[in-house]
Amino acid sequence: MNQETPRVDGRANDEMRPVEITPGFMPYAEGSALIKTGNTHVICTASVESSVPRWMAGKGRGWVTAEYSMLPRATTERVRRDRGGKLGGRTQEIQRLIGRSLRAGVDLDVLGENSILIDCDVLRADGGTRTAAITGAYVALSGAIEWLRANGRIEKEPLSGGIAAVSVGIVNDTPMLDLAYEEDSQADVDMNIVMNGAGAFVEVQGTAEGQPYSTEDMNAMLKLAKIGIDQLSVEQDRAIRSLRS
Amino acid sequence: MNQETPRVDGRANDEMRPVEITPGFMPYAEGSALIKTGNTHVICTASVESSVPRWMAGKGRGWVTAEYSMLPRATTERVRRDRGGKLGGRTQEIQRLIGRSLRAGVDLDVLGENSILIDCDVLRADGGTRTAAITGAYVALSGAIEWLRANGRIEKEPLSGGIAAVSVGIVNDTPMLDLAYEEDSQADVDMNIVMNGAGAFVEVQGTAEGQPYSTEDMNAMLKLAKIGIDQLSVEQDRAIRSLRS
Amino acid sequence: MNQETPRVDGRANDEMRPVEITPGFMPYAEGSALIKTGNTHVICTASVESSVPRWMAGKGRGWVTAEYSMLPRATTERVRRDRGGKLGGRTQEIQRLIGRSLRAGVDLDVLGENSILIDCDVLRADGGTRTAAITGAYVALSGAIEWLRANGRIEKEPLSGGIAAVSVGIVNDTPMLDLAYEEDSQADVDMNIVMNGAGAFVEVQGTAEGQPYSTEDMNAMLKLAKIGIDQLSVEQDRAIRSLRS
Amino acid sequence: MNQETPRVDGRANDEMRPVEITPGFMPYAEGSALIKTGNTHVICTASVESSVPRWMAGKGRGWVTAEYSMLPRATTERVRRDRGGKLGGRTQEIQRLIGRSLRAGVDLDVLGENSILIDCDVLRADGGTRTAAITGAYVALSGAIEWLRANGRIEKEPLSGGIAAVSVGIVNDTPMLDLAYEEDSQADVDMNIVMNGAGAFVEVQGTAEGQPYSTEDMNAMLKLAKIGIDQLSVEQDRAIRSLRS
Amino acid sequence: MNQETPRVDGRANDEMRPVEITPGFMPYAEGSALIKTGNTHVICTASVESSVPRWMAGKGRGWVTAEYSMLPRATTERVRRDRGGKLGGRTQEIQRLIGRSLRAGVDLDVLGENSILIDCDVLRADGGTRTAAITGAYVALSGAIEWLRANGRIEKEPLSGGIAAVSVGIVNDTPMLDLAYEEDSQADVDMNIVMNGAGAFVEVQGTAEGQPYSTEDMNAMLKLAKIGIDQLSVEQDRAIRSLRS
Amino acid sequence: MNQETPRVDGRANDEMRPVEITPGFMPYAEGSALIKTGNTHVICTASVESSVPRWMAGKGRGWVTAEYSMLPRATTERVRRDRGGKLGGRTQEIQRLIGRSLRAGVDLDVLGENSILIDCDVLRADGGTRTAAITGAYVALSGAIEWLRANGRIEKEPLSGGIAAVSVGIVNDTPMLDLAYEEDSQADVDMNIVMNGAGAFVEVQGTAEGQPYSTEDMNAMLKLAKIGIDQLSVEQDRAIRSLRS
């Protein structure tokens, strides 16, 4: 492992890009946030519905789900909109990941028969859009929970500690935190990690794009991820507190 | 005409909401702008492709077309994404209107075999999204034309004077300029007008939602539209000049 | 403006093509008509359903909507059927225009919770199919209303005066009434106008295909439209009276 | 077999409904016909394209295919248009049957690399629409072949004798020719038979809707079919001759 | 008719390929069978649902329907899965044929408001997949009926005698029983015949792929079919009895 | 961690279900295998095409991709076929995982401009279908590579060591290897691991369905996975060798 490899933007290998979370960015939504991680910018909104999908009705439990999309020019090459009958495989994977990750931070029984639909729309994409979406979505979700409480629709706290996500990877044989697009496209391993506030794993997805990786590599990446998640949690807390004040 | 009818936001009947155009808002696109008209905010991008649709290939002419979409929480009630196989009728009408209007301001022969695809994504919707989209799209289009020229791919000027659009309508028997959503939903007549820089009509679409309207009503609305378009043209010029400096 | 420009078929600029409306053309439908305007032939049927779309149920109001289609060889080149998942933009625009125009002539409260679905199928197309469809559809609609009354399902008259439509345009700098296909394809301006029996505007849609147009041009076209609509109203009345006798 | 069973419309069991074929009904198509069999009316057009589907290109052979559709109010209850992504199973079966039947009457090698697309649009439906469509389509096809010859695009005769079709069935234990809708809906057996001019079978499709049927029943139905086809061939010849004169 | 024509695999013209039916092949289904006819192998399952489609609810009658699919490499060239919005015409025809044929062997009133959905999945295809599917599906259906009886959900016997199917055809002017793929692809006539246990016809579908065929040809093919169906019935009975023991 | 927890089928926590791989199961495919892991049975086929997808043509590299499907009654409740326009998110995720995993074991440059399409069809599902699919697919892939070599279309060996996959999880606080369906549905953590023959990770996907998990849990699961993969590799080798002999 070569700690001297210079990164695209001069960061240290265990350094996140600058993170900025603006809560309440979309004023018509019950909860929302704009999250910026370097040049990756994602708008997250949380919409409350006082019902649940048909297949889970009548059980007194709530539901949280997500949709993900990119503006066509979030990227340097225009990307087609997901408008055909077939929703792209990548989009579906990301949507499922976001929804699953957030549900790991919510007590659906306490939520009652309410649904929260998270929309993540990428304004600008420079790597790590799915992890930024999860991190921002948790702030939007907190806003929606706050709204439900303010409107007397829930009483207890359904949130069980924060959910945040970060990407790590191995580039030029070097484990790195928070890959930018250019790094990601050269990475041998690309790993997305979702953790809760207590530092336990909610989801680990690590793919060898080039060379398969060893247990040692994995451990190095998991350590980097913890560093990033800790920083993101601080930013999330700050954003959520500002919502309540 | 009753000039005393108070408007939702206290404006005079011939008064636009505050207009603000930020060119270059989407840095990865060849041309872009964020346009705000009161609480209606639309991101417009222009993407250049060095080819044309198959049905018009080999004629030496270019093409300009548009897509329109709203973020789900651009509105107070969440609106579903246009993801099914069927693209909604309203969306298609708006897309066709934007593309047709912009083409009226471009000499496609001078453009050569290049396509410019305009994306209009509504961040926030408070009435008049399609007219704001046209007005902002013209600035994005100008940026893309500038880019083509800077890259030596066109020589002559294909733009033949600005294209801008505004809504007018009749609310409580009173003709009004630039309807906000609440006004629009009560209007007897809703009219969208697209003009070029010389004050000639590119498109007039006037629909009686309630009472059919007289020739006199129509003339009053056309006059208001001219007032609005003149103001929008000034803002467009300012934005375009700032792009070139 | 050059009044001497000879038209394709020798008509005067303010002259309609021969109009012929055959009510009851489709005997299985509650209301129907075949309308011929020169070589543009459209079958219009009105189907009654004793329910309304879900989103408007329980309000005691009715609904009128429309579908539009062309037989593949209504035109000189075969046109594909609208069978894919995506309904073409042009088709959707026309369908929405027909439905909206007819609703402007019906008191939906008087109609009660009944729906009338208008089908417009073009047998032969020589320009002006959408305006012919609206004009013929009103006769079909009248037949269906008559049927509802005869079957004791409505008591008062929901129709508030006729709805008819015509195209006008500017060809070779000359405003002309009722454009045939060949004229339409060379027109600088193409305008579709829907009026009610009292001569008020229900819908005005004017598009500059070539040169943008002046207020003077618009006024000239609106005058021509009035001439055409007056003639169409006479034919509609004749057809509707023959239904009742 | 009970020859006294009275039929819906007083016909004898071996009697066709009145048949009327109007060639050239759709003037913009290369070939066309309106066929009426009692209250079953079908518009058939034949469109020529100077190419073949990709999978058969370069073999010097032609292709004939068909589409089938009903106007929504061809029937007493409105039928939805085939507009969704899924084309109904019944529609597909009929289209495939029409195409296959016509190809049995054409020498595709003589046709050369030309395609003929047959459109069958049902104006009014009272049973036997698919067989009427085949019979009428052959006249439209003949018109298109004539057009190809007149335009010097084929030299030899690709038609190898007429193709016509008729329905037969067993209603109340009685074999009957040319079932009207009311008979068809009560039939125990419903059989569609396509024959060529020489009286040989091109297609036989017999379905027991109620009781399975014996070989004797089948033979009785085949005999009735021959009677009907002979009469249809006479009408086809008359129509085709009138085209050539 | 030339009895000496040697067949692909040395069979006599009136000889079936070896038939083998394994009941209970899919242990999670209420009824199932694997049928092998030479190299044509089809898995048939029957799934019971205690409801019927909406359009027939409340009448106390049951329903039987079918789906048909091939594994992509059931054939020597890979065939695409039916995954697009459009289900292929061939697939729909076969599904409809299987469902219709089985319903001819079931008293839907005795079945009560239960549905049985038959799935036919072709593992290997060497001609005659649709007829093998029908023959095997009847065994799966019998298993599901047995299951309904064992679970006390029906009392009387809804099955009215077996349903089996076989293909026949004319190859090199010779009528043949049970065509293998290679024979089928050279056949002048291809006929699928479905019969019940009493030897009456449920469905006859005969298509002239090459030369149209005479009444004599038809009679020869029907006789061959009877020979095949008799043999298949014996195999079905054996399989069904083994289920009950 | 409680090693005494009895498993559903009496296995030890680090014990695989019986594994059986039958190569050449689908004789018409270039490569194939049936893999059984307990009651999970998957048919895998590999189809060779002498071209690559358009987006990668002309680079001299090959491609490997996969499709995954379940027979409707692979499960105790019937599952709908993926036939609508929308391919389910779960299906897409699995297909992408299979394709990506196999590509990690192939040198695409050595493969040349050939595509190998893997089809995985689940006959019976009792947990772990996606991992069984990957393991079986590698055997099918090997068969196809062998076929390419035997046909002189590749020279060097494109396979870089085996790819196999297994599921692990935490059930009742106990890490377990190769979860059966009943275990999987109660698991707190469900992890799918893909490794190459050298014991390096190709893909790790671990999801907390219930409680988030610690680094210690993860390490325990990774160790179990290694045990399973080693056993699967032995079975793969045996199957592949039998292909070559």
Side-chain angles (χ1 to χ4, degrees), chain E:
Chain E
M1 203 188 318
N2 172 5
Q3 290 292 342
E4 285 95 330
T5 308
R7 297 185 70 173
V8 175
D9 48 9
R11 278 184 287 154
N13 292 328
D14 62 355
E15 189 182 345
M16 294 283 291
R17 291 175 288 180
V19 177
E20 190 184 319
I21 304 177
T22 309
F25 183 76
M26 294 284 278
Y28 297 153
E30 285 77 40
S32 70
L34 169 67
I35 182 168
K36 298 186 179 177
T37 309
N39 277 317
T40 291
H41 302 181
V42 186
I43 298 174
C44 304
T45 63
S47 301
V48 173
E49 289 172 37
S50 53
S51 65
V52 287
R54 207 172 297 178
W55 57 269
M56 56 179 302
K59 299 184 183 160
R61 307 187 74 211
W63 190 240
V64 176
T65 186
E67 294 191 3
Y68 168 96
S69 187
M70 288 174 69
L71 291 212
R73 286 312 294 271
T75 47
T76 51
E77 302 276 315
R78 185 177 184 274
V79 175
R80 273 166 189 261
R81 297 173 189 273
D82 262 321
R83 277 186 165 171
K86 270 193 181 176
L87 193 55
R90 178 183 173 272
T91 299
Q92 288 209 45
E93 265 186 46
I94 295 176
Q95 296 190 159
R96 286 159 56 95
L97 173 63
I98 299 171
R100 205 162 59 222
S101 297
L102 293 176
R103 287 193 298 274
V106 183
D107 185 327
L108 297 174
D109 289 315
V110 173
L111 185 56
E113 292 216 356
N114 295 295
S115 292
I116 299 179
L117 174 42
I118 304 292
D119 285 290
C120 300
D121 287 88
V122 179
L123 271 187
R124 206 178 298 176
D126 184 28
T129 62
R130 77 186 71 186
T131 50
I134 291 169
T135 305
Y138 184 77
V139 176
L141 175 64
S142 299
I145 296 291
E146 195 62 37
W147 183 92
L148 280 166
R149 196 183 292 112
N151 284 270
R153 283 167 54 182
I154 56 172
E155 291 175 14
K156 286 198 265 177
E157 173 59 83
L159 296 178
S160 57
I163 299 291
V166 78
S167 78
V168 289
I170 299 182
V171 186
N172 293 328
D173 297 324
T174 311
M176 289 182 185
L177 174 61
D178 185 29
L179 306 189
Y181 176 74
E182 196 181 323
E183 294 169 335
D184 188 80
S185 61
Q186 304 163 5
D188 273 314
V189 183
D190 178 20
M191 189 173 275
N192 293 299
I193 290 170
V194 188
M195 297 180 95
N196 70 2
F201 297 109
V202 165
E203 184 104 15
V204 173
Q205 292 194 343
T207 301
E209 307 283 356
Q211 288 303 325
Y213 53 103
S214 66
T215 303
E216 190 178 56
D217 289 334
M218 174 123 79
N219 290 340
M221 290 187 283
L222 297 181
K223 266 179 210 156
L224 287 174
K226 183 74 171 59
I227 295 171
I229 298 270
D230 285 346
Q231 183 180 338
L232 291 167
S233 298
V234 170
E235 295 301 327
Q236 286 180 320
D237 285 347
R238 191 189 329 256
I240 293 170
R241 272 200 313 277
S242 81
L243 269 175
R244 296 187 180 163
S245 59

